[in-house]
């Protein structure tokens, strides 16, 4: 199996296949140092943890990650928590930065003798013969990998998705009418729970990463630039939008800041001949709800199961059903992420629907706070039971 991309999905797939006795080669465009320092997701669902448990790859995650089973909503100085773990049958998340998980998976793969080529951008994929061509970034040496199948785990802009004809992908997409300023700061968390705040000026989120580093999000206009957000402006906006009585925001140096293009994308076919698309190469989801990395690893888990059946039992049905199986879960996650965005984001000023939408948001917040069945519906989707 040739695997393009050494992110969480590619490495989870590689480790799983190697344990099944299926030989793999992983090709990664960037250096190991770059891949293991990319700060992205950090909320890991229980079923992702269970998959890593089954592979014996969750040791550091369980030792260093922090379990979480509740989140907080804030609006106009008021706050309430949703014990989503309790409402969803005792399931919980782990907060564990994505780059730490990548490090763990790369270590485990290499310790098993896996063939992992960092700094080897892929230059071509033959979907009929399953041949991957790559080139060393160091000396330009060419590398050709002949496989039975190829897994494209190299993201939306990677070569894998581009190797599939547009008519085969049959993609659907949506762009939202706002952006998110994503901020990573050298600041200890100011909360024990992830915080989602609805505010007249726009959504604000306080996400957890490590005891010394925190992730924040601020709603901003489409087309805004991170250069417009000084450190002082970032902290002032977070302080104002997240404010509740008696609460203080911990601050520190801003490490990274970028305006996210808030969009969703789903390819209706995740396979083409001998190529299988995994994770962001097949579907993009907004950060709302923390589903992106979890969906990618779930794709990897399903593809590994299909390949096991193909090689061990000579049964190709599961592999043939890969797209349909994954897409059912993907669309559920897309619907939930879209619902979260509708709940939390202030409509654009001047919109004729602004007040109408705002009152719908207040109704949803009220139901989350006081209607057990409504809160349970949220909990099951948020924690990843459905």
């Amino acid at each position: 199996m040739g695997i393009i991309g050494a992110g969480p999905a590619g490495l989870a797939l590689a480790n799983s296949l190697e344990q099944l006795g299926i030989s793999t080669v992983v090709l990664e465009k960037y250096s190991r140092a770059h891949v293991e320092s990319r700060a992205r997701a950090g909320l890991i669902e229980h079923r992702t943890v269970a998959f890593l448990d089954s592979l014996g790859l969750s040791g550091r995650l369980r030792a260093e990650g922090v379990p979480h089973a509740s989140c907080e909503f804030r609006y106009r100085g008021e706050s309430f928590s949703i014990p989503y773990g309790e409402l969803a049958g005792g399931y919980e998340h782990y907060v564990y930065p994505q780059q730490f998980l990548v490090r763990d998976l790369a270590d485990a793969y290499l310790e098993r003798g896996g063939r992992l080529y960092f700094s080897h951008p892929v230059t071509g994929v033959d979907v009929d013969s399953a041949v991957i061509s790559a080139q060393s970034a160091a000396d330009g040496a060419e590398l050709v990998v002949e496989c039975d199948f190829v897994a494209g785990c190299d993201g939306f802009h990677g070569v894998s998705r581009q190797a599939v004809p547009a008519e085969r992908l049959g993609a659907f997409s949506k762009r939202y009418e706002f952006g998110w300023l994503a901020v990573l700061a050298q600041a200890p968390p100011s909360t024990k729970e992830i915080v989602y705040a609805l505010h007249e000026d726009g959504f604000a989120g306080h996400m957890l990463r490590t005891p010394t580093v925190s992730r924040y999000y601020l709603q901003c206009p489409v087309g805004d630039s991170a250069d417009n957000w000084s450190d002082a402006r970032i902290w002032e906006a977070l302080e104002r939008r997240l404010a509740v009585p008696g609460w203080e925001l911990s601050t520190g140096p801003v490490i990274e800041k970028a305006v996210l293009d808030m969009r969703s994308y789903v390819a209706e076919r995740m396979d083409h001949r001998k190529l299988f698309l995994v994770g962001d190469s097949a579907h993009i989801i907004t950060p709302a709800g923390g589903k992106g990395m979890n969906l990618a690893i779930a794709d990897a888990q399903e593809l590994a199961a299909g390949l096991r059946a193909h090689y061990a039992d000579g049964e190709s049905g599961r592999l043939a059903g890969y797209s349909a199986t994954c897409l059912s879960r993907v669309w559920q996650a897309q619907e939930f992420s879209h619902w979260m965005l509708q709940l939390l984001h202030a409509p654009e000023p001047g919109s004729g629907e602004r007040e109408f939408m705002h009152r719908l948001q207040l109704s949803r917040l009220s139901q989350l706070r006081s209607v057990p069945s409504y809160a349970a519906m949220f909990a099951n989707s948020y924690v990843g039971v459905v």
Side-chain angles (χ1 to χ4, degrees):
M1 186 76 183
I3 299 172
I4 306 173
L11 290 172
L13 177 62
N15 275 284
S16 180
L17 294 179
E18 288 288 338
Q19 292 192 21
L20 292 169
I22 301 171
S23 178
T24 62
V25 175
V26 181
L27 301 166
E28 168 56 46
K29 175 181 180 179
Y30 296 106
S31 69
R32 183 171 187 177
H34 178 84
V35 170
E36 294 185 358
S37 65
R38 289 184 296 194
R40 300 289 173 81
L43 198 62
I44 304 181
E45 291 181 355
H46 71 94
R47 54 188 171 190
T48 302
V49 177
F51 176 51
L52 297 172
D53 283 342
S54 71
L55 300 174
L57 300 174
S58 60
R60 286 179 181 169
L61 184 158
R62 288 197 174 273
E64 300 175 16
V66 180
H68 281 269
S70 63
C71 61
E72 181 183 352
F73 290 90
R74 295 183 180 181
Y75 177 65
R76 288 185 174 174
E78 296 185 3
S79 66
F80 65 94
S81 293
I82 299 291
Y84 61 80
E86 175 185 334
L87 292 169
Y91 294 111
E92 59 189 9
H93 287 114
Y94 267 78
V95 172
Y96 190 65
Q98 174 178 315
Q99 65 269 29
F100 292 4
L101 181 59
V102 168
R103 171 203 64 190
D104 299 345
L105 296 176
D107 285 347
Y109 182 65
L110 292 171
E111 286 171 7
R112 292 186 64 90
R115 291 168 289 175
L116 175 48
Y117 294 87
F118 287 105
S119 301
H120 272 73
V122 171
T123 57
V125 182
D126 189 320
V127 298
D128 294 306
S129 61
V131 172
I132 307 172
S133 302
Q135 190 172 48
S136 169
D139 58 15
E142 294 186 0
L143 177 66
V144 176
V145 181
E146 298 179 359
C147 327
D148 292 336
F149 301 102
V150 177
C153 309
D154 52 341
F156 183 81
H157 298 290
V159 298
S160 300
R161 189 179 67 86
Q162 297 172 26
V164 182
E167 61 272 17
R168 172 69 174 181
L169 287 172
F172 298 90
S173 62
K174 175 176 175 58
R175 288 188 178 271
Y176 289 90
E177 61 277 11
F178 46 78
W180 273 15
L181 178 72
V183 177
L184 193 69
Q186 194 76 40
S190 308
T191 174
K192 294 182 178 179
E193 302 173 328
I194 288 174
V195 177
Y196 300 99
L198 174 64
H199 191 274
E200 289 85 349
D201 293 339
F203 161 75
H206 184 346
M207 311 296 148
L208 304 170
R209 288 299 182 262
T210 75
T212 59
V213 174
S214 298
R215 167 73 77 186
Y216 310 90
Y217 293 115
L218 286 164
Q219 181 181 345
C220 62
V222 172
D224 202 352
S225 169
D227 293 337
N228 296 329
W229 290 84
S230 65
D231 289 12
R233 184 187 178 194
I234 289 170
W235 293 120
E236 187 279 329
L238 287 168
E239 180 73 50
R240 177 163 32 86
R241 297 187 195 184
L242 291 169
V244 291
W247 176 80
E248 293 185 3
L249 176 66
S250 299
T251 63
V254 172
I255 304 170
E256 296 178 5
K257 57 182 177 180
V259 173
L260 304 182
D261 181 13
M262 296 293 285
R263 62 194 175 97
S264 293
Y265 170 94
V266 179
E268 272 294 279
R269 288 305 304 251
M270 294 173 57
D271 63 288
H272 179 54
R273 298 181 181 173
K274 294 186 176 182
L275 170 67
F276 294 87
L277 301 179
V278 179
D280 287 359
S281 63
H283 43 79
I284 297 290
I285 192 167
T286 75
K291 298 296 182 182
M293 179 175 65
N294 293 289
L295 283 177
I297 293 178
D299 290 349
Q301 183 178 8
E302 179 58 30
L303 182 55
L307 290 166
R308 187 210 64 79
H310 171 79
Y311 285 112
D313 305 327
E315 173 55 54
S316 60
R318 187 160 187 173
L319 204 55
Y322 168 73
S323 285
T325 300
C326 292
L327 285 169
S328 175
R329 177 175 53 249
V330 167
W331 279 114
Q332 286 181 355
Q334 291 283 2
E335 190 279 329
F336 177 68
S337 183
H338 180 75
W339 180 89
M340 285 280 287
L341 294 175
Q342 289 183 313
L343 170 68
L344 295 167
H345 286 76
E348 287 298 305
S351 168
E353 298 179 351
R354 182 179 174 89
E355 289 305 316
F356 180 86
M357 296 303 297
H358 180 57
R359 279 159 177 75
L360 289 182
Q361 291 172 320
L362 295 181
S363 174
R364 289 169 180 160
L365 285 173
S366 176
Q367 291 179 82
L368 275 175
R369 188 171 192 170
S370 59
V371 180
S373 59
Y374 196 84
M377 178 188 67
F378 163 81
N380 284 315
S381 294
Y382 187 65
V383 80
V385 172
V386 296

